Amino acid sequence: MKHLAAFEDAVKEIRDEGRYRVFIDLKRHRGKFPRASARHLDGSEQEVVVWCSNDYLGMGQDPDVIETMKEAVDAFGAGSGGTRNISGTTRYHVDLEKELASLHGKEAALLFTSGYVSNDATLSTLAKIMPNVIIYSDALNHASMIEGIKRAQCAKRVFRHNDVGHLRALMENDPADAPKVIAFESVYSMDGDVAPMKEICDLAEEFDAITYLDEVHAVGMYGITGAGIAERDGVMDRITICEGTLAKAFGVMGGYIAADAIIIDAIRSMAPGFIFSTSTCPVLAAGSLTSIRKLRGEFGVELRKVHQEKAELLRQKMIAARLPVMMADTHIVPLHVGDPERCKALSDTLLFDFGIYVQPINYPTVPKGGERLRFTPSPHHTEAMMDELVSALVAIWAQLGLERTAA
């Protein structure tokens, strides 16, 4: 069929650039995170240590979360039964939204099927609610935010990453009476750096703008109750709309926003991505609720402390080995490679020769030339695992002729 040629050409171009992605078939071992089994194309299985999971705290393996989900299946069954407007609202959905609103110090919250959908649906709907709105977006915002802003079909301004001076210049150049939204993230997941949140909030107040904060890589992991960087930095009350995920630190699946009740009501009533989507399965809502409640208490305080210590320990071991660590003070530890083919070769050799699983991060997730391995140490990674990882990296680095940092 001649029309298939276009698809073949598209895949060939990706392969030729060295950024074709291969999914690894993983079977996680309950209660033994980060250990798993990888099944290869020939059917063989290999025991591996996972270093790139976004289940940052291992809550997807937490016994209380798992038990709650089993109870929810027994009580409610598997699916939700429809959209929230028709028959897809259960007690778990209602209780989870109340918990999320409380977590972020807001009046209300709204569940979506994923963090991608929550960003896309909310940002694209803001333009319907606020005619002539201008959205100011950080240059490194997630693809879901970029897509939502595109679909809003409103005026947009892209400011240089974390550059408050550039943001100010853009805002000063626009009409003072135009509605304004500043959209940014707290922790940027590929570099591991943090937004200058207080300064952005200052600008928002000065220019009477709404703040839209994506906390997906921070909820559960920062702040005294795990509400994120906004809680840690004491600016939660200055954030208009806080968006988060249930799929990373909370270990389950889904997305949400939290804000004033009238904002939530408007998005609930007008966002197609919410109105026409089947609601999150009750079992997922139940597991998320248990996870959030555990992480808001002393259990979460201790787990977050250990998590940060493990991330810093891995970072220091890589620095001592003269590996090109991209410096940050968060739980994300990226290692710069700068070449897609060698990045994949690193990943493949780590997997097949050492039983270490970390996926290569290539374009379009990062800019060309910014290829890297992105490590996410959890509280459950041991120092012995770290030593094995660093030793393997040093060996493969030399084998591939990659440069190390100065002594």
Side-chain angles (χ1 to χ4, degrees), residues 326 335-339 361-363 366-373:
M326 300 171 65
L335 203 56
H336 183 261
V337 180
D339 176 86
I361 305 295
N362 295 329
Y363 177 84
V366 295
K368 292 181 179 179
E371 292 82 8
R372 67 199 65 177
L373 298 179

Side-chain angles (χ1 to χ4, degrees), residues 278-291:
T278 297
S279 67
T280 301
C281 289
V283 63
L284 300 177
S288 299
L289 186 58
T290 294
S291 182

Side-chain angles (χ1 to χ4, degrees), residues 119-128 130-138 141 145-159 167 170-171 174 178-184 209-212 241:
N119 271 332
D120 182 26
T122 304
L123 286 166
S124 62
T125 302
L126 289 180
K128 299 179 185 178
M130 305 167 68
N132 304 314
V133 68
I134 302 170
I135 300 181
Y136 301 84
S137 175
D138 188 284
N141 275 344
M145 300 175 75
I146 294 169
E147 187 63 26
I149 294 167
K150 282 181 182 176
R151 293 204 310 108
Q153 297 183 333
C154 63
K156 67 175 180 181
R157 312 281 185 259
V158 179
F159 60 94
L167 174 59
L170 292 172
M171 298 182 81
D174 284 320
K180 299 175 175 66
V181 176
I182 305 174
F184 63 107
I210 282 177
T211 48
Y212 183 97
I241 302 174

Side-chain angles (χ1 to χ4, degrees), residues 216-279:
V216 297
H217 292 278
V219 288
M221 293 173 291
Y222 298 90
I224 189 63
T225 68
I229 297 291
E231 180 184 45
R232 186 196 73 177
D233 291 358
V235 297
M236 186 73 79
D237 61 325
R238 304 173 73 187
I239 300 299
T240 314
I241 302 174
C242 183
E243 185 268 347
T245 184
L246 306 169
K248 294 180 171 60
F250 296 130
V252 191
M253 184 181 176
Y256 66 87
I257 58 170
D260 289 346
I262 190 60
I263 293 175
I264 296 298
D265 202 18
I267 299 297
R268 180 187 69 85
S269 301
M270 298 180 66
F274 174 81
I275 295 170
F276 298 105
S277 289
T278 297
S279 67

